[in-house]
Structure formats: C-alpha cells, structure tokens
C-alpha cells in the first residue's frame, strides 16, 4: 500500500499484531517509514524472550495447531486464563474481556499467536530510523524481564 499509493514516510499505527507488524515494517523499510505507534504490540511475544531462535518456529507451529483444534468451551477457558494472567491489567475486567475474546475464531487466533510467537524482532531494532512509540501495559504480578526503549533521532514539529 505504501508503494501503490506513493505514501511518503507514513506513520504506522497498529494494535497488538498490527503494532508488531508496524515494528517489522519499520525494520524492513528503513527511512521510508516516518514513525511507528505500537499499542500493545511488542518486538517479541511476552514470556518467550528466552526462547532460542532455532526453537521458535517449531514452538509457534505446535501452539498454532493446538489452539486451532481447541473446542469452543476449552477455547473460552484458555481466553479466561490468558486474560487473568497477562491479557488484562484490570483483573476486575478480565472475565468480561475473556467472554468477548472467546467469541473469536479459534483458528484465526491460533494463526495470530503462531505468527507473533515465531518472530523475534529484537535483533533488527537497531535498523529502525523512525521514531517509535510503544504503549504496553504492565502488571505488578508480571514485572518486565527486559525492557527496550527506542528513542527517536528527532521528533517532527507541528507544521513540518
């Protein structure tokens, strides 16, 4: 789309998988990207930071196959567990959110989880030249194991 519409240095904004994809595009397209806003999309799937690269693809495919074959009641239970562990910051809303996400197609969710789990964008982060803003919630029970901050080389000013 960037090429077909002849976009000049667009700012990419994405949520979750979209945020991760925005980071990946910024790595791949360099100076052609004007900025990234990633909302809850990280360069690596939380809790998979220490997975060796050679194990990542197999682990992702295994997870994708298991999730895609999950019957609806078990999928709903998985969504509840996810929301109660790392999916929600406000535990008072975790079960309500899980009811909403449980309405998703398990195969589509499995595909998304597999795609994100298979990628580790951390090695390519130094190639990003655009400003990047990552908005990611944290919870007290899950302290960050690693943190990365991408600082822009310069911020555009209003009207420029």
């Amino acid at each position: 789309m960037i090429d077909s519409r002849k976009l000049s240095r667009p700012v990419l904004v994405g949520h979750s998988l979209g945020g991760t994809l925005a980071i990946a595009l910024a790595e791949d397209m360099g100076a052609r990207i004007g900025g990234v806003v990633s909302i809850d999309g990280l360069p690596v799937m939380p809790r998979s930071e220490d997975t060796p690269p050679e194990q990542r693809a197999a682990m992702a495919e295994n997870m994708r196959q298991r999730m895609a074959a999950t019957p609806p009641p078990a999928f709903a239970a998985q969504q509840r567990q996810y929301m109660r562990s790392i999916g929600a910051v406000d535990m008072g809303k975790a079960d309500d959110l899980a009811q909403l996400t449980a309405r998703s197609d398990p195969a589509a969710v499995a595909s998304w989880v597999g795609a994100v789990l298979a990628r580790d964008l951390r090695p390519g982060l130094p190639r990003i030249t655009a400003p990047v803003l990552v908005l990611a919630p944290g919870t007290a029970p899950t302290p960050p194991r690693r943190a990365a901050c991408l600082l822009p080389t310069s911020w555009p000013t209003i009207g420029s």
Side-chain angles (χ1 to χ4, degrees):
M1 185 168 136
I2 292 169
D3 291 335
S4 68
R5 301 234 175 157
K6 297 179 175 69
L7 300 176
S8 175
R9 298 184 39 82
V11 174
L12 307 176
V13 179
H15 171 256
S16 194
L17 175 60
T20 300
L21 291 174
I23 293 168
L25 278 171
E27 285 184 359
D28 294 343
M29 298 185 81
R32 295 180 58 201
I33 301 300
V36 172
V37 178
S38 177
I39 304 158
D40 212 12
L42 301 169
V44 67
M45 176 73 106
R47 298 187 179 169
S48 74
E49 299 92 342
D50 297 327
T51 302
E54 61 277 3
Q55 292 178 6
R56 203 166 268 288
M59 184 174 71
E61 181 57 22
N62 181 288
M63 177 71 77
R64 189 197 64 71
Q65 287 179 9
R66 283 194 335 231
M67 286 184 72
T70 303
F75 181 71
Q78 283 178 349
Q79 292 302 299
R80 190 170 40 260
Q81 177 58 34
Y82 173 77
M83 287 298 171
R84 288 179 177 181
S85 60
I86 65 171
V89 174
D90 182 345
M91 288 300 118
K93 295 181 181 176
D95 288 348
D96 292 337
L97 292 169
Q99 286 179 353
L100 293 172
T101 61
R103 294 176 13 199
S104 301
D105 175 20
V109 174
S111 179
W112 165 81
V113 169
V116 173
L117 194 54
R119 300 211 54 190
D120 183 352
L121 300 173
R122 293 175 296 175
L125 292 177
R127 291 194 312 263
I128 298 175
T129 58
V132 174
L133 173 63
V134 175
L135 302 172
T139 59
T142 310
R145 297 202 293 178
R146 296 195 177 131
C149 180
L150 302 177
L151 299 175
T153 54
S154 65
W155 287 99
T157 58
I158 302 296
S160 65

